[in-house]
């Protein structure tokens, strides 16, 4: 913990989990044995030791959201040294430490808390030293008492330790962890059951557990709820020791043990660090006597039920139950509230796909908070300032760079700059967006081309064949070169170039080969040359889960998913063969074969299509694809083939191609190896 908000989150989690455990223990008071009543507190121990969970689920209540909302409301006015207002509050350690000098109110409050931790530790240390000095005044117990202790230890299979007598000590106690000492009241005859109680403390190392709980008390010294809970932990430890004693006694001895408890009631050493005492305060003795009266041996089946209770509690209290992403559905454009900004901080992007999904939806839905979730701290500050002013976000200013689509279906070689005041309308019914040319860099970052589909690009009517809804515009693909990297444990997206639009003359087609290729391969053969463009294509599942299990998802999801993974990851090949226009051939065929020799049956079908002069195409599951075309009067000397193949850890160095020519009935095959050439593509 390095700031006030991290401490608040941690201590609220601890208090919330502790109160839940206390409520369940109260409900199951007569159902769980003292052994399991105390074991339940192990969940609280884990909650104290583990940093507050800020993953996919909230534990019990949306405490991180509440704490983050308070931080968003207050910290911008304070400019704290310990707190980054644009970064989600995270607890990296349950132990606090200072990272610099305080400058704001929250910094000084955190410093006060740290000072309190140090003072509490010093108080425990001084108390322990005083106790050690007091123990030095003790004298070895008489021989008969020593024999009594050894006899009890042997009878009940308990360890023994050095024993002393101490004047003024109201009740026996075990002091120390590594070299424990059994301190007894001087000149006072003790019942065997009382000594047995302390030996059982020694046997189960309860003094060490006492040290741990004192440490927990130190970390949360200023939280009265946690202090109350830890008092209950100490009481349950004593009740468990009572249960262990009673399990070893019979009949009247159990009643006599209760009488001994009443005689030892005293508050002098109920909470000394590193000690255990029969007396844990007069107020608590009555509850222990009541437990002794109700004593029973619990059936063995209850142990299994108790284990199940503890496991369920641990899962819900440590992992969480409430989906954190549910808060993202309310982040629609409006006057954003502090709670919405806080939700954006907490839902940071944990995957590359999640960062790109969140960033794309921020652009396409004009959602500043989605954009801030996937942006650096510097950009996040600017975006949140825009949200305070109810401003809108746009990739473009007064001009747009567009590439018209030529009649061949390819993008024009030269772009056109359009001046416009219109607004791009993104297509929420198509694939929504995609990621092309995703490449991992040496430093662990990723470069990619973010492709967002637009159904309306304003002022582009001169490039339109038809568009039924908008008669002054055509659709296209808005492409944005980006870099995805990690910052502060989350993935962020940065723009690395200017956005460009690739227009489409036919509405809703979304040709994937319009955008620049990731790699280009070429090969030259006897009959002509081939150019192969290689693009990686990634997409997430953008469909909402239907309410009815049996229905097929059809609704496009507009809510960002910062933890999503890519559902589709493929490599796409687009090959174009160029031949002489004046040939005597009857037909020609082109095939892309990423895995040569694996599809003999489909390859024969390809040859048959060329032999019979068909205009056809096809593909196999292992990647082989082909296109065939008869040679007619209007043939322009080209043939194209496209294919989608499985994702590769690294792009291929070469690509195998097949030319097949039907020259007046004679079918000739040629296999080419296309090699990569330098490209300036994104």
């Amino acid at each position: 913990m390095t700031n006030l908000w991290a401490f608040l989150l941690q201590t609220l989690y601890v208090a919330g989990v502790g109160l839940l455990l206390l409520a369940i223990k109260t409900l199951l008071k007569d159902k769980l044995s003292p052994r399991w009543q105390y074991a339940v507190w192990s969940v609280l121990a884990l909650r104290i030791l583990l940093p507050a969970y800020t993953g996919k689920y909230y534990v019990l209540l949306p405490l991180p959201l509440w704490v983050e909302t308070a931080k968003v409301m207050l910290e911008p006015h304070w400019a704290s040294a310990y707190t980054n207002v644009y970064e989600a509050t995270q607890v990296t350690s349950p132990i606090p430490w200072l990272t610099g000098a305080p400058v704001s109110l929250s910094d000084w409050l955190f410093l006060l808390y740290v000072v309190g931790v140090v003072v509490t530790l010093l108080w425990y240390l001084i108390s322990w030293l005083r106790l050690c000095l007091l123990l030095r005044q003790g004298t070895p117990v008489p021989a008969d008492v020593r024999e009594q202790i050894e006899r009890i230890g042997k009878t009940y299979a308990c360890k023994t330790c050095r024993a002393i007598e101490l004047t003024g000590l109201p009740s026996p106690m075990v002091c120390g962890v590594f070299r424990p000492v059994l301190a007894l009241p001087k000149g006072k005859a003790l019942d065997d059951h009382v000594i047995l109680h302390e030996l059982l403390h020694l046997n189960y190392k309860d003094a060490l557990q006492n040290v741990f709980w004192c440490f927990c008390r130190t970390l949360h010294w200023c939280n009265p709820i946690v202090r109350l809970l830890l008092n209950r932990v100490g009481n349950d430890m004593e009740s468990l020791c009572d249960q262990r004693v009673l399990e070893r006694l019979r009949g009247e001895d159990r009643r006599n043990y209760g009488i001994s408890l009443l005689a030892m009631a005293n508050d002098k050493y109920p909470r000394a660090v590193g000690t255990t005492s029969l007396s844990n305060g007069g107020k608590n003795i009555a509850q222990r006597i009541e437990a002794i009266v109700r004593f029973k041996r619990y059936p063995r089946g209850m142990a299994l039920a108790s284990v199940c209770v503890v496991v369920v509690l641990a899962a819900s209290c440590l992992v969480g139950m409430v989906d954190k992403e549910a808060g993202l559905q309310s982040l629609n454009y409006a006057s954003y509230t502090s709670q919405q900004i806080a939700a954006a901080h907490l839902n940071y992007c944990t995957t590359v796909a999640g960062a790109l999904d969140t960033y794309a939806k921020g652009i396409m839905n004009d959602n500043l908070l989605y954009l801030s979730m996937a942006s650096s701290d510097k950009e996040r500050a600017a975006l949140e300032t825009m949200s305070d002013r109810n401003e809108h976000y746009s990739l473009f200013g007064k001009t747009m760079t567009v590439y018209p689509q030529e009649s061949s279906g390819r993008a024009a070689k030269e772009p056109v700059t359009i001046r416009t005041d219109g607004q791009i309308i993104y297509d929420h019914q198509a694939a929504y967006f995609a990621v092309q040319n995703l490449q991992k860099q040496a430093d662990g970052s990723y470069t990619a081309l973010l492709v967002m589909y637009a159904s309306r690009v304003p002022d582009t009517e001169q490039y339109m064949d038809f568009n039924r809804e908008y008669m002054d515009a055509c659709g296209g693909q808005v492409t944005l070169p980006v870099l995805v990297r990690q910052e502060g444990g989350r993935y962020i997206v940065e723009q690395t170039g200017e956005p460009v639009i690739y227009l489409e003359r036919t509405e809703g087609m979304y040709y994937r080969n319009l955008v620049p290729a990731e790699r280009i391969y070429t090969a030259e053969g006897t009959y002509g040359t081939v150019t192969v463009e290689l693009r990686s294509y990634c997409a997430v599942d953008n469909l909402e889960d239907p309410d009815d299990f049996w229905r097929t998802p059809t609704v496009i999801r507009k809510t960002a998913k910062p933890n999503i993974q890519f559902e589709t990851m493929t490599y796409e090949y687009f090959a174009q063969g160029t031949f002489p226009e004046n040939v005597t051939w009857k037909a020609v065929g082109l095939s892309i074969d990423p895995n040569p020799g694996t599809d003999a049956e489909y390859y024969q079908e390809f040859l048959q299509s060329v032999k019979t002069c068909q205009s056809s195409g096809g593909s196999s599951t292992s990647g082989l694809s082909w296109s065939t075309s008869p040679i007619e009067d209007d043939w322009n000397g080209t043939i194209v083939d496209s294919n989608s193949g499985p994702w590769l850890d690294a792009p291929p160095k070469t690509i195998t191609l097949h030319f097949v020519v039907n020259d007046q009935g004679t079918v000739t095959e040629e296999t080419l190896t296309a090699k990569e050439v330098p490209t300036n593509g994104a």
Side-chain angles (χ1 to χ4, degrees):
M1 297 180 290
T2 58
N3 58 66
L4 177 67
W5 308 104
F7 165 68
L8 286 176
L9 181 59
Q10 179 76 2
T11 198
L12 287 174
Y13 259 135
V14 171
V17 168
L19 289 175
L20 175 65
L21 296 176
L22 187 60
I24 293 175
K25 278 166 50 62
T26 302
L27 291 174
L28 301 177
K29 183 176 181 180
D30 297 328
K31 305 297 187 297
L32 294 178
S33 69
R35 180 172 285 101
W36 288 102
Q37 287 277 353
Y38 181 67
V40 166
W41 293 119
S42 62
V43 178
L44 179 64
L46 289 174
R47 181 69 280 165
I48 293 174
L49 291 177
L50 296 176
Y53 181 72
T54 55
K56 181 175 173 56
Y57 297 98
Y58 293 134
V59 176
L60 305 178
L61 298 171
L63 295 177
L65 181 61
W66 297 346
V67 171
E68 193 69 22
T69 301
K71 187 184 79 172
V72 167
M73 294 174 63
L74 298 174
E75 280 293 347
H77 308 290
W78 291 346
S80 301
Y82 299 160
T83 304
N84 182 350
V85 68
Y86 300 108
E87 184 177 294
T89 300
Q90 295 190 45
V91 182
T92 56
S93 168
I95 300 175
W97 71 87
L98 299 175
T99 58
V103 297
S104 69
L105 177 60
S106 66
D107 292 345
W108 282 106
L109 289 174
F110 183 68
L111 177 62
L112 178 62
Y113 159 69
V114 174
V115 170
V117 171
V118 175
V119 170
T120 305
L121 283 174
L122 290 175
W123 183 84
Y124 277 130
L125 178 61
I126 293 172
S127 299
W128 170 250
L129 293 176
R130 291 179 60 189
L131 183 59
C132 290
L133 292 175
L134 184 63
L135 293 176
R136 288 187 177 183
Q137 301 174 14
T139 58
V141 296
D144 59 329
V145 177
R146 180 74 248 177
E147 291 176 0
Q148 180 187 15
I149 295 172
E150 294 295 337
R151 174 177 52 79
I152 296 171
K154 185 176 181 180
T155 302
Y156 297 103
C158 294
K159 296 179 182 179
T160 60
C161 64
R162 184 169 67 92
I164 63 171
E165 287 185 330
L166 197 61
T167 302
L169 191 66
S171 63
M173 61 190 302
V174 173
C175 307
V177 175
F178 302 108
R179 291 186 296 176
V181 176
L182 175 59
L184 304 176
K186 189 170 185 178
K188 189 174 183 180
L190 296 176
D191 189 81
D192 286 0
H193 311 146
V194 174
I195 296 178
L196 174 60
H197 180 100
E198 295 307 321
L199 292 182
L200 286 172
H201 273 311
L202 178 66
N203 213 45
Y204 287 93
K205 302 186 185 306
D206 288 345
L208 179 60
Q209 296 182 51
N210 174 267
V211 172
F212 169 75
W213 293 118
C214 287
F215 173 73
C216 296
R217 191 186 298 269
T218 299
L219 293 178
H220 299 273
W221 64 270
C222 56
N223 189 329
I225 295 177
V226 176
R227 294 176 66 87
L228 173 65
L229 292 169
L230 294 177
N231 288 343
R232 289 297 301 268
V233 171
N235 295 340
D236 284 349
M237 181 191 293
E238 291 301 325
S239 296
L240 173 56
C241 196
D242 291 339
Q243 177 78 5
R244 289 167 177 159
V245 171
L246 295 174
E247 289 173 347
R248 291 163 171 81
L249 300 180
R250 296 291 183 272
E252 191 68 18
D253 288 340
R254 293 173 181 166
R255 189 177 71 86
N256 293 336
Y257 177 67
I259 296 174
S260 299
L261 275 183
L262 288 173
M264 295 293 176
N266 191 280
D267 291 327
K268 189 172 183 180
Y269 295 113
R271 301 296 179 200
V273 63
T275 66
T276 61
S277 174
L278 178 71
S279 172
N280 64 333
K283 295 181 181 179
N284 299 311
I285 289 294
Q287 297 177 1
R288 293 169 63 185
I289 296 297
E290 181 183 349
I292 292 173
V293 173
R294 297 196 317 266
F295 171 76
K296 62 180 178 178
R297 293 185 180 275
Y298 290 80
R300 292 185 177 181
M302 285 303 298
L304 178 60
S306 302
V307 170
C308 294
V309 170
V310 173
V311 170
V312 171
L313 287 174
S316 59
C317 294
L318 300 179
V319 178
M321 299 176 291
V322 183
D323 191 349
K324 185 172 65 175
E325 289 187 6
L328 294 179
Q329 298 177 358
S330 65
L331 300 187
N332 298 317
Y333 180 80
S335 179
Y336 297 112
T337 65
S338 297
Q339 186 169 347
Q340 289 176 318
I341 295 174
H345 287 186
L346 292 172
N347 286 277
Y348 48 87
C349 302
T350 60
T351 64
V352 173
L356 291 168
D357 179 81
T358 304
Y359 199 78
K361 286 180 169 57
I363 294 174
M364 301 178 78
N365 295 324
D366 188 18
N367 192 309
L368 296 174
L369 293 188
Y370 282 170
L371 283 169
S372 72
M373 287 165 57
S375 298
S376 64
D377 288 346
K378 182 178 179 180
E379 289 295 323
R380 172 175 278 186
L383 290 166
E384 291 183 6
T385 300
M386 290 177 62
S387 71
D388 290 339
R389 300 171 181 172
N390 292 337
E391 297 178 355
H392 293 265
Y393 178 87
S394 175
L395 281 176
F396 302 92
K398 297 296 184 180
T399 62
M400 296 184 296
T401 301
V402 300
Y403 282 85
Q405 186 181 28
E406 297 179 340
S407 58
S408 64
R410 308 303 303 277
K413 294 182 179 180
E414 296 297 330
V416 177
T417 301
I418 299 177
R419 297 187 60 84
T420 179
D421 293 325
Q423 183 180 2
I424 293 176
I425 296 180
Y426 293 96
D427 190 347
H428 292 168
Q429 300 303 319
Y432 206 18
F433 81 96
V435 178
Q436 293 192 205
N437 303 345
L438 180 68
Q439 301 180 61
K440 187 173 183 178
Q441 306 301 309
D443 61 356
S445 63
Y446 293 82
T447 57
L449 199 61
L450 190 58
V451 182
M452 296 160 285
Y453 303 120
S455 57
R456 178 183 185 271
V457 180
D459 304 311
T460 54
E461 66 277 4
Q462 63 268 41
Y463 307 110
M464 180 189 69
D465 276 355
F466 77 86
N467 189 307
R468 295 177 182 176
E469 186 174 359
Y470 302 105
M471 300 308 297
D472 64 341
C474 59
Q477 302 178 33
V478 180
T479 63
L480 181 66
V482 295
L483 172 73
V484 184
R485 64 178 180 85
Q486 284 192 303
E487 179 183 88
R490 64 189 180 97
Y491 282 100
I492 64 169
V493 179
E494 295 178 338
Q495 299 181 20
T496 58
E498 295 298 321
V500 173
I501 301 177
Y502 292 87
L503 298 178
E504 295 180 343
R505 300 171 65 86
T506 305
E507 181 184 21
M509 293 300 293
Y510 303 124
Y511 298 90
R512 294 179 185 173
N513 62 333
L514 284 177
V515 303
E518 178 180 327
R519 283 173 169 79
I520 295 177
Y521 302 77
T522 61
E524 185 170 353
T526 304
Y527 301 102
T529 60
V530 183
T531 300
V532 183
E533 296 178 354
L534 181 67
R535 297 173 178 83
S536 62
Y537 176 85
C538 303
V540 299
D541 180 7
N542 260 317
L543 294 177
E544 292 278 10
D545 294 330
D547 296 332
D548 188 348
F549 175 80
W550 302 105
R551 294 181 61 185
T552 302
T554 57
V555 179
I556 296 296
R557 172 178 53 81
K558 296 184 181 181
T559 304
K561 289 285 186 179
N563 306 312
I564 202 169
Q565 299 286 353
F566 286 120
E567 182 185 48
T568 302
M569 297 182 72
T570 62
Y571 269 101
E572 300 196 339
Y573 306 82
F574 182 85
Q576 177 171 307
T578 304
F579 308 91
E581 293 187 25
N582 300 319
V583 294
T584 59
W585 305 337
K586 297 178 65 177
V588 66
L590 173 62
S591 172
I592 304 172
D593 193 2
N595 301 294
T598 58
D599 286 303
E601 181 180 349
Y602 285 94
Y603 188 75
Q604 290 302 317
E605 185 177 340
F606 164 53
L607 294 179
Q608 184 64 25
S609 297
V610 178
K611 184 180 296 185
T612 56
C613 301
Q614 297 180 21
S615 177
S616 67
S619 62
S620 70
T621 56
S622 61
L624 176 72
S625 65
W626 74 87
S627 295
T628 61
S629 174
I631 305 300
E632 299 176 346
D633 293 340
D634 60 347
W635 188 57
N636 61 2
T638 62
I639 184 173
V640 297
D641 184 34
S642 61
N643 185 21
S644 295
W647 185 262
L648 303 172
D649 293 334
K653 296 182 179 180
T654 61
I655 299 175
T656 300
L657 307 164
H658 303 289
F659 270 156
V660 179
V661 173
N662 184 338
D663 189 358
Q664 301 302 319
T666 301
V667 176
T668 306
E669 305 173 41
E670 182 179 14
T671 299
L672 304 177
T673 300
K675 297 181 179 180
E676 184 179 353
V677 296
T679 175
N680 293 324

